[in-house]
């Protein structure tokens, strides 16, 4: 009778342990899902910002190239008012687009 009692008691402890383990696993899974739900939107935002920064850097390179061309034309004495005005319009447009992207990033 004592042996049966001990076995029943051991079985009870094993069941309690398994229930506790199952509850712990459920809690960990819920916490993991909650963290994942918070991280996913951040990942999407970081991807968008990375794309905007890449585009901004490309625009900045184009502006530098255009500025170099304008400087070269101005120093060579071959520039006319029309060429200068067209280049200024292009540079202004690129700067405006770049500022728009910067405003979106902030």
């Amino acid at each position: 009778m004592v042996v049966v009692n001990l076995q029943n008691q051991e079985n009870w402890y094993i069941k309690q342990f398994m229930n506790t383990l199952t509850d712990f696993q459920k809690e960990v899974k819920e916490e993991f899902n909650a963290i994942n739900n918070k991280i996913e939107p951040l990942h999407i935002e970081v991807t968008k910002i990375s794309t905007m920064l890449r585009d901004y850097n490309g625009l900045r390179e184009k502006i530098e190239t255009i500025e170099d061309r304008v400087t070269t034309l101005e120093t060579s004495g071959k520039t006319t008012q029309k060429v200068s005005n067209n280049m200024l319009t292009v540079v202004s447009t690129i700067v405006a687009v770049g500022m728009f992207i910067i405003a979106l990033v902030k």
Side-chain angles (χ1 to χ4, degrees):
M1 184 84 151
V2 173
V3 173
V4 171
N5 228 359
L6 285 175
Q7 278 184 331
N8 286 340
Q9 191 173 9
E10 282 180 19
N11 287 339
W12 183 84
Y13 281 118
I14 290 171
K15 285 180 184 177
Q16 289 300 104
F17 175 76
M18 294 305 289
N19 287 338
T20 302
L21 185 60
T22 302
D23 290 344
F24 177 72
Q25 288 172 331
K26 286 178 185 176
E27 289 176 22
V28 168
K29 185 176 180 178
E30 289 172 2
E31 288 295 322
F32 179 78
N33 288 337
I35 290 170
N36 192 34
N37 289 338
K38 290 178 184 177
I39 290 175
E40 190 173 342
L42 291 175
H43 175 71
I44 292 169
E45 287 301 314
V46 166
T47 302
K48 287 179 184 177
I49 290 170
S50 296
T51 301
M52 286 182 199
L53 288 173
R54 186 190 67 233
D55 293 347
Y56 169 75
N57 287 332
L59 290 172
R60 192 176 68 208
E61 288 175 14
K62 287 179 183 180
I63 289 171
E64 289 172 2
T65 302
I66 290 171
E67 286 175 342
D68 290 343
R69 288 179 181 173
V70 168
T71 301
T72 302
L73 287 172
E74 287 176 346
T75 55
S76 70
K78 295 180 182 178
T79 237
T80 64
Q81 189 65 31
K82 186 176 182 180
V83 170
S84 182
N85 285 342
N86 287 340
M87 294 301 269
L88 184 59
T89 301
V90 170
V91 170
S92 298
T93 302
I94 292 173
V95 168
V97 170
M99 296 304 287
F100 175 73
I101 290 173
I102 290 172
L104 287 176
V105 171
K106 289 183 181 181

